[in-house]
């Protein structure tokens, strides 16, 4: 990814606590339920090699996608950038994203 594009992040209330979502170029790059802005910013630096900047008002596309995921059906329909992960990790996560809210799948199903 071109590092000239800023890595921004916004927070959302979730059943698990504060959900941090980092994004750039219209794609989600990292999510976490962190204890603080500093912890999330540090994890973005360590995992992505990028400085994350907090944005109070996220882009509308992201706000809609996160709200729908958290409040409606548990599925995120936005774009996700997993390019920093190994191919196997990417395939596993894309498979996990197929699981609908409330459904249970075995590790064998994912494999």
């Amino acid at each position: 990814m071109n590092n000239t594009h800023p890595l921004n992040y916004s927070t959302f209330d979730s059943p698990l606590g504060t959900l941090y979502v980092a994004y750039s170029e219209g794609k989600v790059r990292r999510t976490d339920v962190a204890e603080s802005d500093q912890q999330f910013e540090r994890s973005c630096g360590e995992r992505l090699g990028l400085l994350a900047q907090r944005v109070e008002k996220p882009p509308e596309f992201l706000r809609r996608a996160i709200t729908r995921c958290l409040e409606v059906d548990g599925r995120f329909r936005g774009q996700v950038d997993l390019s920093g992960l190994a191919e196997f990790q990417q395939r596993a996560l894309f498979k996990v994203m197929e699981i609908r809210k409330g459904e249970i799948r075995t590790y064998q199903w994912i494999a």
Side-chain angles (χ1 to χ4, degrees), residues 12 58-70 72 76:
F12 301 86
E60 188 60 24
F61 78 89
L62 181 64
R63 188 198 62 73
R64 281 193 317 265
I66 296 291
T67 300
R68 180 181 177 125
C69 179
L70 293 174
V72 178
F76 182 75

Side-chain angles (χ1 to χ4, degrees), residues 73-75 95-106 109-110:
D73 61 7
R75 298 189 71 188
K95 189 67 176 174
V96 168
M97 284 192 264
E98 294 176 17
I99 301 171
R100 294 178 188 263
K101 184 176 184 177
E103 292 183 351
I104 299 171
R105 294 287 186 261
T106 64
W109 182 88
I110 295 169

